[in-house]
Each structure stands twice: as C-alpha cells, then as structure tokens.
Amino acid sequence: MTTRTVHEEWDDQPAPSMAATDLLREPPATPRGARTRAALVAAARTVFERSGYLDARLTDITKEANCSTGSFYTYFDNKEQVFAAVLEVAQEDMMHPGMKRVQDTDDPYAVLEASNRAYLEAYRRNAKLMGLLEQVAHIDPAFADLRRQRADAFIARNARGIAELQARGIADKELDPMLASRALSGMVSRLAYNVFVASANGTDGTPVDFDDVVFTTTRIWANGLRFPERS
C-alpha cells in the first residue's frame, strides 16, 4: 500500500459519536430548559460514575440535580437516553484526535510525546467515566460497537501518522502501519486503564507518577517504530 493510498483511506474524518444519537431529543427551545437539561446530564454523570450503570436509578439522578421526576421526563424517556446525553457532552474531552501530523521542521519524538500526554491527561480527567464505559461495553452490544467505531477512527489517524513517518524514513518501513497503530494505540489505552481506573501501582508499590506514564508510552512507541537516535 502506497503512502498516497494510505492518506486517501485514512483521511481526517470526524470521529463517530459514542452516543446513540438516535436516542437524543431535540434540544430545549428556552434557556431555562437548556439549563435544566444540562443539570440533569451533569447529575446523571455523577450518579453513573458513583453507582455504575446498572445500579444507577432515575430517582438518584433527579435528587442529584435537585429537580422533580416530572422534569426528568420532560427531556428524557429513560436511563438509556440520559446516558447517551452524558456521552454526547463528555466524549470530546475523553480522547484527543490521534497522533498529530509531523511537519518537516518538527521533532517527531516531541510531537509523539505531546500527543500521548494530551491523551493521558484527558483519560486521567475522565477516569471514572472511562471505567464506566468499560462496564457498559460489556453489557450493551450496541454501545460496544459505537465505542469500537470511535476507537478505530483514532487508530486510523495514528496509522496515517505512522505511514507519513515511514515515507520520511523516520519509522520502520517494514511495519504495517495499521497493525502497528493497533498494537501501540491499544498498549497506551490499556495502560491508561490500569493506572487511572484500576489504580495499578509501580514496582515499589506506590502510585505511578504521571510523567513516568507519559515517558514509558512514548519511549515504547518510539522504540517500536525504530525512531532514529535523538541528537
């Protein structure tokens, strides 16, 4: 596969939504309605993260939002709808759009490090929600498919970046860029889950330092792609 074909197939397309958009109603027409709906969505996120998806109750959400059950049903029919709304609001902060494009004047290692840092910072900010998404993906096949589609979009963007680096002689040309992206992107994702959701510790039993996570993921990426030694 030529680099040109790779760029055509893995072009910059908007990442698909993880929210089941067919469940979402039209937004409220009044500022007051918009504020009430936003309060319910924020409350729902709090309850989902605290109780888990299965154990979250609508009464807990309305209590958290300090509003009536009737107000909830003005904007949502059920738990599935408000969960979709939570994802719609939160998803753009949950993942950055893949490895940034490396310009001729850029240090590719620095670009890779900045990309990993952005992803890991977003993951850490949203660790409770990311843990919740793991739970929902195991019980809802439709959501699992939406999540997979979104992950595939980011993997494709990273593959495009790898192909560009291969064309410039920076990355190992013998690697299949898509397979390499799946391996390396998956490594970063699972490490982030282990550190920020499962609270895995380092070899000395203490919490892992954030900068160490950034350094490790970036070094493994660079070594895996056989970046040249930095001057």
Side-chain angles (χ1 to χ4, degrees), residues 41-223:
V41 173
R45 175 169 176 170
T46 298
V47 172
F48 284 134
E49 290 179 347
R50 182 176 65 217
S51 303
Y53 183 77
L54 291 176
D55 293 331
R57 300 180 302 174
L58 298 186
T59 53
D60 296 330
I61 294 172
T62 55
K63 181 179 180 180
E64 183 73 27
N66 195 29
C67 70
S68 67
T69 303
S71 293
F72 178 91
Y73 286 112
T74 299
Y75 307 101
F76 307 103
D77 290 337
N78 49 42
K79 186 163 63 174
E80 290 76 16
Q81 284 191 359
V82 74
F83 181 68
V86 168
L87 291 183
E88 183 187 40
V89 171
Q91 66 184 348
E92 290 311 312
D93 187 47
M94 289 192 292
M95 292 185 180
H96 75 108
M99 186 169 65
K100 297 177 182 178
R101 304 194 79 156
V102 182
Q103 306 300 325
D104 290 341
T105 57
D106 289 336
D107 174 356
Y109 192 96
V111 172
L112 177 59
E113 182 178 47
S115 298
N116 280 336
R117 182 176 295 276
Y119 172 81
L120 292 165
E121 285 176 342
Y123 203 112
R124 182 172 63 170
R125 282 195 305 273
N126 295 281
K128 290 183 179 179
L129 184 58
M130 298 302 281
L132 174 68
L133 300 186
E134 288 283 329
Q135 179 195 83
V136 178
H138 282 91
I139 61 177
D140 185 340
F143 171 73
D145 187 57
L146 290 172
R147 190 178 184 220
R148 179 192 56 75
Q149 292 177 33
R150 185 170 170 84
D152 283 349
F154 293 114
I155 288 169
R157 292 181 188 183
N158 284 341
R160 181 203 62 214
I162 291 171
E164 290 175 346
L165 293 173
Q166 287 174 318
R168 291 173 51 191
I170 296 172
D172 185 351
K173 292 185 178 180
E174 294 186 7
L175 291 172
D176 177 274
M178 179 61 82
L179 190 57
S181 177
R182 288 193 182 280
L184 293 169
S185 300
M187 175 271 297
V188 177
S189 175
R190 295 315 300 173
L191 179 60
Y193 178 85
N194 287 332
V195 171
F196 302 126
V197 178
S199 301
N201 292 326
T203 54
D204 60 357
T206 62
V208 180
D209 181 77
F210 178 77
D211 286 334
D212 286 344
V213 180
V214 176
F215 171 81
T216 300
T217 55
T218 303
R219 178 63 63 90
I220 291 173
W221 259 83
N223 288 349

